[in-house]
Amino acid sequence: HGRDGYSVEMITLESEGGSIIPLLVFVPKAEGRHRTLLYLHPQGKLAEAAPGREIERFVRRGFVVAAPDLSGTGELGHVSSDVAFLAEQVGRSVVGIRAAEITRVARYLQTRGDVDANAIYGSGREGAAIALLHAAAFDPSLRGIALLHPLVGYRSVVESRQYKLDAADLVANVLTAYDLPDLAATFVPRPLLIVEPR
């Protein structure tokens, strides 16, 4: 699918258990290997994909941009509280499943001839930032990440009388082991940008 100065590819990747990750890849017309941004939005791949929106601004700066639908976003529906609780009952979390999907997309990007495998970055907004932080802590291929309006930490939730947090963004018993700032600390010395935590 061609646009002015770049193209858009529609791809499906297979993740663990045979689940599918729908993916849009925006590629500048210029030849060669490009810096690449893994762009994660809680509403999915189409949230900023239209001409003139945020993804296009990155492509015009020379980035390949990969925008997936992670489990429970975009084409892949919504994660209800019941489904999130069921995941915990079988020893999983939606956060962990999404982190694995992010790693799968990063592995795919490394195989592309138009991607500089040494310059893959991640950007996650709101709940997507939680999954990105989990993935990046264990995936050295992500050379830098930006977290936009992320949760400051799970401790802030349990210490607040009122809070608003999607059930899909919870990890059972997380504070018995770590919190989000602990994961952020493991990212050193790679660059980490946190914008307006909540």
Side-chain angles (χ1 to χ4, degrees):
H1 179 69
R3 290 190 184 171
D4 182 24
Y6 64 99
S7 62
V8 184
E9 301 174 15
M10 292 176 280
I11 294 165
T12 55
L13 300 177
E14 188 173 323
S15 189
E16 60 175 313
S19 62
I20 296 299
I21 306 169
L23 178 68
L24 293 179
V25 181
F26 302 75
V27 184
K29 285 276 191 327
E31 296 289 324
R33 294 180 181 269
H34 302 272
R35 295 177 299 167
T36 298
L37 179 66
L38 210 168
Y39 184 92
L40 306 169
H41 195 287
Q43 294 169 10
K45 65 184 183 307
L46 295 177
E48 291 290 333
R53 302 289 294 187
E54 189 172 46
I55 288 175
E56 183 175 277
R57 292 200 289 272
F58 281 105
V59 180
R60 295 210 181 283
R61 292 173 56 196
F63 282 85
V64 166
V65 179
D69 280 341
L70 302 177
S71 290
T73 69
E75 284 184 67
L76 302 181
H78 174 72
V79 177
S80 68
S81 297
D82 289 343
V83 169
F85 181 67
L86 181 61
E88 300 293 355
Q89 292 299 299
V90 297
R92 303 295 306 272
S93 70
V94 177
V95 170
I97 292 167
R98 289 174 176 171
E101 292 169 343
I102 292 167
T103 297
R104 174 68 182 96
V105 175
R107 292 287 172 270
Y108 163 72
L109 291 172
Q110 290 175 293
T111 70
R112 290 181 59 108
D114 50 10
V115 167
D116 179 352
N118 294 313
I120 299 175
Y121 303 92
S123 168
R125 183 182 302 275
E126 298 166 11
I130 294 174
L132 175 59
L133 185 56
H134 279 80
F138 299 100
D139 187 348
S141 71
L142 292 169
R143 299 306 172 100
I145 59 172
L147 308 177
L148 311 174
H149 317 293
L151 179 67
V152 70
Y154 289 115
R155 181 168 300 282
S156 69
V157 175
V158 301
E159 291 177 347
S160 299
R161 181 169 295 180
Q162 294 182 332
Y163 60 88
K164 183 179 178 186
L165 187 64
D166 195 304
D169 298 329
L170 293 169
V171 177
N173 300 314
V174 63
L175 291 175
T176 64
Y178 69 93
D179 200 356
L180 300 178
D182 301 311
L183 285 184
T186 69
F187 204 67
V188 173
R190 292 175 287 169
L192 167 63
L193 174 66
I194 299 175
V195 178
E196 295 182 6
R198 56 192 177 90

